[in-house]
Amino acid sequence: QVQLVESGGGLVQTGSSLRLSCAASGRAFGTYTMGWFRQAPGKEREFVGSISWAGDNIHYADSVKGRFTISRDNAKNTVYLQMNNLKPGDTGVYYCAADRYNLYSNYVGSYDYWGQGTQVTVSS
């Protein structure tokens, strides 16, 4: 079905910036809400942010609000996560996901499709 591929992760220092991309194969976006999640070593996957198809429902976790920005380009079937002022606590595998039915959800189980993840490591 839908294939999502994340890219843009890497190893950076505290205070640096990264932009993650998530590309859907073909024209697979449809009108899906797209979310970003992350999973730190030894911890559960947690919500980072989400954006509805029209871009009028955008939400962020409190831990990243003011530092991260989510956006999407439906013509390119791509969603982005701009991450600024990165901290060691932001380290983890970042996943993009697609939700067929909800304008907003911070729950992992609400999302129907997932990418393979991209590693983000922030050194102190």
Side-chain angles (χ1 to χ4, degrees):
Q1 294 291 342
V2 175
Q3 296 184 66
L4 305 174
V5 180
E6 302 95 334
S7 62
L11 173 62
V12 298
Q13 295 182 341
T14 297
S16 297
S17 297
L18 283 172
R19 189 178 75 162
L20 306 183
S21 299
C22 173
S25 61
R27 298 180 180 179
F29 262 0
T31 56
Y32 298 166
T33 291
M34 299 297 297
W36 285 97
F37 292 77
R38 67 188 183 187
Q39 188 165 19
K43 297 185 178 180
E44 296 184 359
R45 194 166 300 184
E46 66 174 345
F47 174 78
V48 175
S50 67
I51 182 169
S52 62
W53 173 76
D56 56 350
N57 278 270
I58 299 175
H59 300 267
Y60 300 98
D62 289 343
S63 59
V64 306
K65 190 174 183 179
R67 298 188 298 121
F68 290 12
T69 302
I70 190 169
S71 61
R72 67 190 297 165
D73 186 338
N74 291 338
K76 296 182 178 180
N77 293 327
T78 301
V79 62
Y80 304 95
L81 184 68
Q82 177 67 46
M83 305 185 294
N84 297 327
N85 191 24
L86 284 161
K87 305 174 181 179
D90 297 317
T91 293
V93 178
Y94 282 69
Y95 300 89
C96 67
D99 185 338
R100 293 176 292 177
Y101 303 119
N102 300 298
L103 292 176
Y104 161 69
S105 177
N106 62 4
Y107 175 54
V108 168
S110 294
Y111 289 80
D112 303 289
Y113 306 102
W114 293 84
Q116 83 291 341
T118 185
Q119 177 70 43
V120 172
T121 303
V122 185
S123 62
S124 60

